[in-house]
């Protein structure tokens, strides 16, 4: 049973350049519109605070699946989010930089408006580091900003590893490193900013040649999955760097990982996430703006955006019940 027509604000990157055939936020907005909800749009810079209340300069938006004509914006107006919005989707892509953190802290001031994912969790649940709460499910991993420690990890892992930044997205800054690479130290200097920032080193999993499985979860339950197979000569399987999307049935290892993560995701308010699994090992838990809906839709003939919006409607019902019971901190 729907809680009625809701006002849903999507805080995101600029709407104009998005790829409407691949963008997950576009699919969510289109699904929300199809279910009769009022859809609004803003960017990080449109968020403000007045008297301790989160506000935003928002625009109503009408979506359509037409290349180059995929949206129409209405007149902008400033609103108090708790007064005018039922759901706020924080869908700004990484990096989780100072601007992102500040915007998320502003959204954390919302009480009546339901923010997905939970803002305070998104701030501390780094997409690489959150997975380390389940280290036994992961490949061997070392996080350091000290190059000698990364070199030592490389030696202990047989002279082969993956190095990636903690704040990247879409495979940006990911290196497949070997001990005999003449560029080894240059790569590690780049990855760590000459020892000024942390990098994650992980055991190289040969199973990456078979693909990197993205599993989307809503409220801890499986939404769908896609296997991203890297192009020949490429380590990264991300679709925007040439990976190919193929169907991805879940196996026993996938279900074991999901069962372990489910209680934590629900506890931490991580409503919509994407986990990455290679060779039965968990590598990342994506919590900021997980993608993959449209690729799965195309492969499976489904409409996952609709299912996410339906789940959000249910979450609104629960949120309103908690408000009524005085269970949301700071709620009037």
């Amino acid at each position: 049973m729907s809680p009625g027509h809701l006002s849903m604000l999507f805080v995101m990157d600029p709407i104009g350049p998005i790829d409407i055939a691949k963008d997950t936020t576009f699919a969510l907005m289109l699904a929300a519109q199809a279910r009769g909800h009022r859809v609004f749009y803003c960017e990080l810079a449109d968020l403000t605070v007045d008297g301790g209340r989160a506000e935003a300069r928002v625009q109503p938006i009408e979506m359509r699946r037409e290349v180059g004509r995929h949206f129409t914006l209405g007149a902008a107006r400033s609103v108090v989010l708790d007064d005018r919005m039922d759901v706020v989707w924080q869908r700004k892509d990484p990096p989780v930089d100072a601007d992102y953190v500040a915007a998320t802290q502003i959204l954390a001031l919302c009480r009546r408006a339901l923010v997905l994912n939970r803002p305070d969790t998104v701030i501390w649940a780094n997409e690489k580091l959150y997975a380390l709460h389940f280290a036994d499910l992961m490949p061997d991993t070392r996080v350091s900003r000290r190059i000698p420690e990364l070199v030592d990890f490389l030696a202990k892992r047989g002279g082969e590893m993956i190095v990636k930044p903690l704040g990247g997205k879409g495979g940006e800054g990911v290196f497949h490193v070997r001990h005999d690479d003449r560029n080894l130290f240059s790569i590690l200097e780049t990855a760590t900013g000459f020892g000024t920032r942390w990098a994650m080193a992980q055991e190289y999993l040969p199973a990456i040649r078979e693909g990197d499985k993205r599993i989307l979860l809503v409220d801890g339950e499986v939404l769908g999955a896609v296997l991203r197979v890297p192009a020949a000569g490429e380590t990264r399987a991300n679709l925007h760097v040439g990976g190919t999307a193929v169907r991805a049935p879940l196996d026993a290892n996938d279900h074991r990982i999901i069962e372990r993560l489910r209680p934590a995701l629900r506890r931490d308010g991580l409503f919509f996430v994407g986990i990455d699994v290679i060779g039965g090992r968990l590598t990342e838990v994506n919590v900021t703006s997980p993608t993959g809906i449209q690729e799965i839709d195309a492969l499976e003939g489904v409409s996952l955006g609709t299912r996410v919006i339906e789940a959000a409607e249910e979450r609104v019902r629960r949120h309103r019940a908690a408000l009524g019971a005085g269970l949301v901190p700071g709620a009037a």
Side-chain angles (χ1 to χ4, degrees):
M1 181 178 178
S2 170
H5 293 170
L6 304 174
S7 292
M8 294 192 174
L9 171 64
F10 289 80
V11 183
M12 57 184 291
D13 290 299
I15 188 73
I18 66 171
D19 184 344
I20 67 170
K22 297 181 179 179
D23 192 88
T24 287
T25 305
F26 174 78
L28 294 175
M29 297 169 84
L30 206 60
Q33 178 179 285
R35 288 187 60 78
H37 301 306
R38 296 173 292 272
V39 180
F40 296 85
Y41 158 81
C42 79
E43 299 174 25
L44 291 192
D46 296 314
L47 298 172
T48 61
V49 180
D50 186 16
R53 306 191 76 192
E55 297 184 356
R57 182 177 179 274
V58 306
Q59 292 177 269
I61 187 168
E62 180 183 344
M63 312 299 296
R64 64 186 71 88
R65 197 174 281 283
E66 297 180 24
V67 177
R69 300 181 63 251
H70 55 283
F71 68 98
T72 299
L73 288 170
R77 65 180 186 271
S78 292
V79 301
V80 176
L81 298 183
D82 274 336
D83 291 345
R84 298 294 182 182
M85 296 297 152
D86 298 297
V87 182
V88 179
W89 298 87
Q90 166 63 303
R91 291 287 303 175
K92 171 70 175 67
D93 285 341
V96 180
D97 55 14
D99 285 344
Y100 187 101
V101 169
T104 306
Q105 289 173 330
I106 290 173
L107 293 178
L109 296 171
C110 292
R111 294 295 179 264
R112 176 188 168 276
L114 174 65
V115 183
L116 302 172
N117 288 323
R118 186 191 296 164
D120 57 337
T121 302
V122 169
I123 290 175
W124 68 259
N126 176 276
E127 307 203 329
K128 308 298 189 297
L129 298 180
Y130 186 82
L132 288 170
H133 290 278
F134 312 92
D136 60 304
L137 301 176
M138 299 178 66
D140 286 347
T141 300
R142 177 78 185 237
V143 177
S144 180
R145 58 172 63 188
R146 296 186 177 92
I147 291 175
E149 292 181 358
L150 297 175
V151 172
D152 180 65
F153 179 84
L154 175 64
K156 291 178 178 177
R157 296 310 316 153
E160 199 169 10
M161 68 181 182
I162 297 293
V163 176
K164 50 191 172 183
L166 296 184
K169 64 176 175 63
E172 294 173 354
V174 176
F175 295 96
H176 178 196
V177 180
R178 294 183 175 88
H179 70 92
D180 57 355
D181 190 331
R182 293 181 179 180
N183 296 308
L184 171 61
F185 283 90
S186 179
I187 290 171
L188 296 181
E189 288 165 357
T190 299
T192 64
F194 292 87
T196 63
R197 58 176 177 260
W198 285 282
M200 174 175 279
Q202 284 186 331
E203 168 191 3
Y204 174 71
L205 299 174
I208 185 58
R209 302 313 313 163
E210 301 169 11
D212 179 351
K213 188 179 295 185
R214 164 61 58 87
I215 305 172
L216 295 177
L217 304 174
V218 171
D219 205 20
E221 301 294 339
V222 176
L223 181 69
V226 59
L227 189 67
R228 302 168 296 180
V229 181
E234 174 65 77
T235 296
R236 299 170 300 173
N238 306 81
L239 299 177
H240 84 278
V241 295
T244 301
V246 301
R247 297 185 69 186
L250 301 188
D251 60 25
N253 284 324
D254 299 326
H255 287 294
R256 176 174 57 90
I257 292 170
I258 294 164
E259 289 296 322
R260 284 281 305 282
L261 265 61
R262 181 180 294 119
L265 298 178
R266 290 177 173 171
R267 178 197 67 212
D268 296 334
L270 295 174
F271 171 76
F272 181 39
V273 306
I275 66 173
D276 294 339
V277 178
I278 300 173
R281 309 295 288 176
L282 176 68
T283 61
E284 294 184 16
V285 179
N286 298 274
V287 305
T288 53
S289 58
T291 62
I293 276 183
Q294 296 215 58
E295 290 79 9
I296 299 170
D297 283 354
L299 290 167
E300 304 288 352
V302 293
S303 179
L304 297 187
T306 300
R307 290 175 55 189
V308 174
I309 298 301
E310 290 173 343
E313 294 166 0
E314 171 59 27
R315 179 58 71 88
V316 167
R317 281 192 291 271
R318 288 157 48 190
H319 183 66
R320 288 176 176 175
L323 284 170
L327 299 179
V328 176

